[in-house]
Amino acid sequence: MAWTGKPVTALAVCVVLLAGAAGCGSLAGQRENGESPSPVGRLLEEKDDGGRPYREVGAEDAPEVGVEVTPDADGGWDVRLTVRNFRFSPDGTVRRAVPGRGLAHLYVNDRLVAQLRTPGHHLSAHTVRRGTHQVTARLHADDGSVWAVRGKPVESTADITVSEPTP
């Protein structure tokens, strides 16, 4: 039996229409702002002080962070983060949660001082005045949510004490 042009064309159009319909997901799975929900972890009701939701992930694959703060010669402080199961995303990364990826928020005494996309940062002497201070690094996904394990944010804190400069 020989195929003529019309039935083959009609068959091709049907295949394209069916494939297109299968590839077009419904809008039911999207949020009101048009973003697709992330399959990474589970967003919790709990939020940080900035209103960012916690994103719960299992402890076995969770990102980890450590913070070390050392004085520099000019009276400032060098902050060095060590991370595990985590990669810093470059600036301009799409705002969605990807396992083990994102940025760190750096706080001094619970005040946000920097958003880090690299493991190093310098705190000037003007940022950290005389007294004892807490320097905290908290890991965030690229969508702004806070990585969390067992309902607690993935973070690390170091205490530093700044004394009067010697004359």
Side-chain angles (χ1 to χ4, degrees):
M1 166 191 236
W3 288 90
T4 63
K6 289 183 182 180
V8 172
T9 303
L11 180 61
V13 169
C14 289
V15 169
V16 169
L17 288 175
L18 288 174
C24 298
S26 73
L27 295 178
Q30 292 186 343
R31 295 186 181 133
E32 288 179 14
N33 62 3
E35 293 179 19
S36 296
S38 175
V40 180
R42 178 175 58 92
L43 288 177
L44 304 178
E45 294 289 325
E46 188 169 350
K47 297 179 189 301
D48 72 0
D49 291 339
R52 293 170 288 267
Y54 287 0
R55 181 175 295 282
E56 181 80 22
V57 292
E60 64 281 351
D61 297 324
E64 297 175 21
V65 63
V67 62
E68 180 182 346
V69 185
T70 56
D72 71 6
D74 297 325
W77 299 84
D78 291 323
V79 178
R80 187 58 141 170
L81 305 183
T82 54
V83 294
R84 185 168 170 242
N85 296 332
F86 186 80
R87 287 183 303 128
F88 288 95
S89 298
D91 199 19
T93 300
V94 175
R95 293 186 47 89
R96 71 168 196 258
V98 174
R101 199 172 83 185
L103 65 154
H105 285 196
L106 188 67
Y107 299 87
V108 174
N109 299 332
D110 296 323
R111 182 177 59 90
L112 181 64
V113 295
Q115 295 182 10
L116 307 180
R117 295 196 176 272
T118 62
H121 185 73
H122 180 76
L123 293 171
S124 71
H126 300 292
T127 304
V128 187
R129 301 282 186 177
R130 183 172 183 242
T132 300
H133 306 278
Q134 290 187 323
V135 178
T136 301
R138 182 176 299 153
L139 298 183
H140 290 253
D142 289 315
D143 67 351
S145 60
V146 179
W147 290 115
V149 176
R150 295 183 191 97
K152 303 289 182 196
V154 175
E155 63 183 20
S156 181
T157 300
D159 290 336
I160 59 172
T161 301
V162 180
S163 57
E164 279 292 323
T166 56

